[in-house]
Amino acid sequence: MIWLVWSALIGASAIWAAHIIALAAMVLPADEGFRLPTALLALAVTFAGVFAGFALSTKRDIRLAPEFGGIVLGLTVAVMGMTTSAAHVIAGADSNGAGFSLWSLLLSACLGAIALSFVPQLRSRRALLSATLFLFLAVVTLHLSMPVPETFASQLGLLSQAGLLSEGQMISVALLICALCAALAATGCELEKERKEAARRAYQHLSLQDSLTHLPNRHYVQKVAADLLKKADQNGKICSVVLISLDQFKAINDLHGYEVGDMVLCSMAETLKNNLSEKVFISRFYGDEFLIINPALNSEDEAVEFARLVRSLARRPIQWRSYRLSIRSSIGLAVFPRDGNDLTKLVQRANLAAKQAKSIGGNLIQPYVTGMEESNRWETSLASDLRNATLENQLSLVFQKQNLTKTGSLIGYEALVRWRHAEKGPIAPEDFIPIAERSGIILDIGNWVLEAACAEAANWAEPVSLAVNASPLQFSRSDFAGLVSTVLIKTGLPAERLEIELTESTPIEDHERVHETILSLRQMGVRVAMDDFGKGYSSLNTLQAFPFDKIKVDRAFTQSLETNPHARAILRSAILLGHSFGIPVIAEGVETERQLEFLKEAGCLQVQGFLFGKHVLASQIKKKQDSLQKTGS
Ligand code: C2E
Ligand code: CA
Ligand code: CA
């Protein structure tokens, strides 16, 4: 809204002042002057029209909104021409330029429509220039089509009555108003930019620290790792990447409660911090996992030695009231540069090694060895079963409601995939989606999900929206937008009802492709939401890099907001970010009234979670009436 007001102020005052100057520039051997109130009225009308045009052009839920907005803008330019000309008084003139021809109205509307049709792509320079050019043409053609008086009174001194401004005075007033509007808008934009920057900084600060142990979190590791490895490389050092995964953390939580679990993590963090050199980088990586990087080692033997030291620290029993908790952990070790050149690879391998350690009883150090991936039998066999799952009808869908925070009214459903393995029974998406992504099978699964979900949604009684998850791999395929379009045509679901949630389960590699895909989808009228905001390695960068229509904050934040001030702060700053990008924020994982209350107060527009119901089967959503369905088919 604020940006719209600034744009309309600048747009209206500039167009209006240009016209005043054009009128004053007509050289007539007659008395001329301007009626100030009429001129100001014309400015107000222009402001209203430009505001309405711009506002309409940004409506995402209306088809061809930019073009319609452009028509309003074009007509406004024409009407501005008439009203402003009416303020121009020429002694004895047959016309003062206030008339207009139908063709100039039409031309204005067309040029306006073309100009604003570039609105969805304004981040590109070319689109920005094209929009500017066509807006310029719209204003210029108006001046060219302005009727010029043919007869007027050449006798001077006829207009001496008071109240008229001379041409020079009127131009000064117009320029002054124009400058004022520009200054006001420039200040406003600057303030708005600062607000956005502040929201960004606040989020960044919050997102780099683990609130429980006050150690850097995995986002921070990701941020500094490249530098750390590069420096080690330059100094001829090797790095050890040690992943500690506690062995029975769940049991501790179940047995003694979360509070004891938290205490264990804190005391582990404390021990590591107090006993390792300052050069060593310690972070809480995920849940019960700590990641430790030592960038100052000379040999692989030293790397193993260092892992042993870490284990001896991690093993220290922890005293809690009258209990002595003995802590066991599985430790995976990867060595830079032997086991990989970047953090992702190193962590993946340390993780694999830690899993291996856990699978053979835990409480030991396992260095990564080449070929460990292949021996990851469970994954290989699951991947091959998954390949058949789409063919053998083992996949199905459930749907979860999305609601407005304020009223609770239904706005749509998110489709979630389910897999029932022929022998192993149901397998959770959290277990098989990562495998599907690593093996590329997600492409087949994704296609199936998209088509099945759209086909269902096309038959719902209420035309609410449908959210479908898609992984970055799908977005990187050049034909993804085409595929979506084919599915929409085939199933008859209007593009406006579909929203694709881009998850950041795997890092986005092909930025350009993903960007193009998002633009093509949006051009078709399909919305694109950023899923799991705050969970990925680089949520903020992703949010800034791509033109999303919605932010979906990861459910972890909603779930801990009652107990964790840090989670509340993250949620608040995500909502602010949404405001500054002008897109709605949806919070997922809402389970309690108190969470809902917080989100309502924080200004989060949409919610999703068990509070509004668990997932339902497609058959539980009300269908269009049978007769309708029959005529439809
Ligand atoms: P997601 O996209 O974040 O989906 C929301 C997940 O949160 C769902 O888990 C849902 O059951 C769960 N959830 C919703 N409300 C609540 C709540 O109030 N409390 C709690 N504790 N959980 C809630 P689900 O179905 O197990 O899906 C897990 C993840 O698997 C999804 O997370 C998504 O990343 C992925 N996934 C699911 N279906 C697809 C799909 O068709 N394609 C792709 N690429 N990924 C999918
Ligand atoms: Ca999702
Ligand atoms: Ca999510």
Side-chain angles (χ1 to χ4, degrees):
M1 181 56 84
I2 292 173
W3 285 103
L4 276 176
V5 172
W6 301 143
S7 317
L9 264 181
I10 295 196
S13 63
I15 298 172
W16 172 80
H19 195 62
I20 298 257
I21 294 172
L23 288 172
M26 270 198 260
V27 183
L28 300 170
D31 267 358
E32 297 174 61
F34 285 87
R35 281 189 213 107
L36 186 62
T38 319
L40 291 181
L41 186 71
L43 175 62
V45 171
T46 314
F47 174 80
V50 174
F51 179 85
F54 281 161
L56 183 56
S57 74
T58 56
K59 284 270 172 262
R60 290 161 205 265
D61 43 352
I62 299 177
R63 238 189 118 78
L64 293 179
E67 286 78 4
F68 283 125
I71 292 177
V72 172
L73 187 69
L75 292 178
T76 302
V77 170
V79 171
M80 181 280 309
M82 285 158 47
T83 46
T84 310
S85 298
H88 189 203
V89 185
I90 306 167
D94 59 337
S95 145
N96 59 358
F100 64 90
S101 60
L102 198 60
W103 78 264
S104 80
L105 265 186
L106 263 174
L107 193 64
S108 255
C110 286
L111 289 170
I114 300 175
L116 292 205
S117 69
F118 292 102
V119 160
Q121 309 142 46
L122 276 190
R123 284 188 196 198
S124 110
R125 245 192 136 64
R126 188 140 38 99
L128 192 65
L129 282 176
S130 314
T132 312
L133 177 73
F134 281 101
L135 261 186
F136 176 74
L137 283 179
V139 177
V140 167
T141 44
L142 170 85
H143 297 319
L144 296 183
S145 65
M146 233 161 41
V148 177
E150 279 165 11
T151 58
F152 40 77
S154 48
Q155 185 188 350
L156 294 178
L158 284 177
L159 284 182
S160 54
Q161 79 248 47
L164 285 189
L165 293 188
S166 74
E167 288 168 320
Q169 285 169 328
M170 188 64 224
I171 290 181
S172 309
V173 170
L175 287 181
L176 191 70
I177 290 183
C178 209
L180 263 177
C181 287
L184 203 65
T187 323
C189 292
E190 210 41 55
L191 284 179
E192 195 56 24
K193 259 196 215 144
E194 264 167 36
R195 226 172 63 123
K196 194 169 181 168
E197 183 52 30
R200 204 189 61 78
R201 269 199 308 268
Y203 175 79
Q204 190 143 48
H205 175 75
L206 287 166
S207 64
L208 295 176
Q209 196 195 51
D210 171 47
S211 60
L212 180 67
T213 61
H214 302 295
L215 287 177
N217 63 16
R218 64 189 196 290
H219 302 316
Y220 192 80
V221 185
Q222 187 78 13
K223 209 170 133 86
V224 299
D227 255 1
L228 216 62
L229 297 182
K230 203 169 116 199
K231 267 200 200 116
D233 198 32
Q234 281 164 353
N235 299 338
K237 299 280 180 189
I238 67 168
C239 303
S240 66
V241 176
V242 180
L243 190 93
I244 311 179
S245 169
L246 304 193
D247 280 345
Q248 290 116 349
F249 190 65
K250 196 172 173 303
I252 295 178
N253 272 334
D254 292 347
L255 219 61
H256 306 286
Y258 286 108
E259 159 199 349
V260 178
D262 286 355
M263 194 271 302
V264 166
L265 292 172
C266 288
S267 103
M268 174 81 86
E270 228 21 60
T271 311
L272 292 171
K273 252 192 296 196
N274 295 340
N275 292 285
L276 292 174
S277 124
E278 280 195 351
K279 284 191 197 131
V280 175
F281 182 86
I282 310 165
S283 68
R284 176 166 177 216
F285 203 63
Y286 208 98
D288 58 357
E289 289 174 4
F290 293 87
L291 186 79
I292 298 166
I293 303 178
N294 187 339
L297 298 168
N298 294 308
S299 66
E300 290 178 8
D301 284 347
E302 273 187 34
V304 176
E305 206 44 54
F306 176 71
R308 288 211 184 100
L309 169 66
V310 170
R311 181 174 63 165
S312 71
L313 296 174
R315 261 184 180 174
R316 288 194 185 168
I318 292 170
Q319 193 69 32
W320 180 71
R321 294 191 187 153
S322 56
Y323 297 99
R324 224 172 119 82
L325 302 168
S326 65
I327 305 296
R328 292 155 53 100
S329 42
S330 302
I331 296 181
L333 168 67
V335 177
F336 166 84
R338 186 191 68 192
D339 298 330
N341 283 323
D342 59 58
L343 184 79
T344 314
K345 188 102 235 156
L346 289 162
V347 168
Q348 196 185 353
R349 295 191 152 165
N351 196 6
L352 205 58
K355 272 205 185 121
Q356 184 102 333
K358 199 161 282 195
S359 73
I360 48 178
N363 202 22
L364 54 93
I365 302 175
Q366 173 70 57
Y368 168 79
V369 278
T370 329
M372 229 172 214
E373 283 91 350
E374 281 83 66
S375 65
N376 199 353
R377 289 268 162 70
W378 150 264
E379 176 158 342
T380 331
S381 95
L382 214 57
S384 92
D385 294 347
L386 200 49
R387 237 172 259 286
N388 298 324
T390 40
L391 303 174
E392 291 172 2
N393 286 334
Q394 292 173 359
L395 295 183
S396 61
L397 290 177
V398 293
F399 295 86
Q400 187 179 30
K401 284 180 186 165
Q402 301 185 324
N403 305 69
L404 283 182
T405 316
K406 266 199 195 141
T407 57
S409 51
L410 180 75
I411 48 174
Y413 290 94
E414 175 181 2
L416 296 162
V417 69
R418 291 291 173 262
W419 179 24
R420 177 171 281 279
H421 189 283
E423 289 124 37
K424 299 189 176 97
I427 296 180
E430 243 127 36
D431 292 331
F432 74 81
I433 294 285
I435 298 178
E437 281 176 333
R438 282 197 286 273
S439 56
I441 309 171
I442 194 70
L443 295 175
D444 292 329
I445 296 183
N447 291 355
W448 180 86
V449 168
L450 184 70
E451 185 164 345
C454 289
E456 286 296 342
N459 272 320
W460 291 341
E462 289 169 285
V464 292
S465 64
L466 164 74
V468 176
N469 293 289
S471 92
L473 197 64
Q474 289 170 273
F475 271 76
S476 312
R477 293 250 305 216
S478 55
D479 56 347
F480 184 62
L483 191 113
V484 171
S485 148
T486 314
V487 168
L488 288 176
I489 293 168
K490 194 166 160 191
T491 58
L493 186 75
E496 291 68 34
R497 285 182 54 197
L498 181 63
E499 181 168 290
I500 306 275
E501 293 186 1
L502 173 63
T503 59
E504 224 196 324
S505 38
T506 48
I508 296 173
E509 270 159 22
D510 195 344
H511 266 241
E512 212 151 303
R513 266 277 160 74
V514 171
H515 199 253
E516 268 170 32
T517 304
I518 295 180
L519 284 184
S520 319
L521 286 171
R522 294 187 58 188
Q523 216 150 29
M524 285 157 47
V526 175
R527 280 160 293 148
V528 182
M530 174 174 180
D531 203 355
D532 300 337
F533 182 81
K535 183 181 178 191
Y537 287 121
S538 50
S539 291
L540 193 57
N541 293 345
T542 309
L543 181 67
Q544 285 174 316
F546 304 110
F548 289 108
D549 295 285
K550 194 192 264 190
I551 302 176
K552 195 167 190 188
V553 185
D554 188 55
R555 58 183 181 276
F557 301 110
T558 315
Q559 286 176 345
S560 50
L561 73 80
E562 280 163 86
T563 53
N564 188 338
H566 186 256
R568 288 197 288 275
I570 290 252
L571 264 166
R572 280 213 188 87
S573 68
I575 293 166
L576 270 180
L577 276 171
H579 282 315
S580 77
F581 280 96
I583 54 180
V585 173
I586 180 166
E588 60 178 354
V590 182
E591 294 180 1
T592 67
E593 286 291 346
R594 279 178 59 187
Q595 290 165 351
L596 183 68
E597 215 34 60
F598 172 87
L599 292 165
K600 216 182 271 179
E601 268 166 37
C604 179
L605 290 183
Q606 306 174 2
V607 280
Q608 177 179 350
F610 294 163
L611 183 62
F612 298 89
K614 292 236 166 159
H615 337 111
V616 293
L617 298 173
S619 56
Q620 291 167 283
I621 302 175
K622 226 173 111 204
K623 295 277 156 58
K624 280 183 192 167
Q625 282 174 357
D626 272 352
S627 59
L628 271 180
Q629 237 173 318
K630 271 176 204 141
T631 46
S633 56

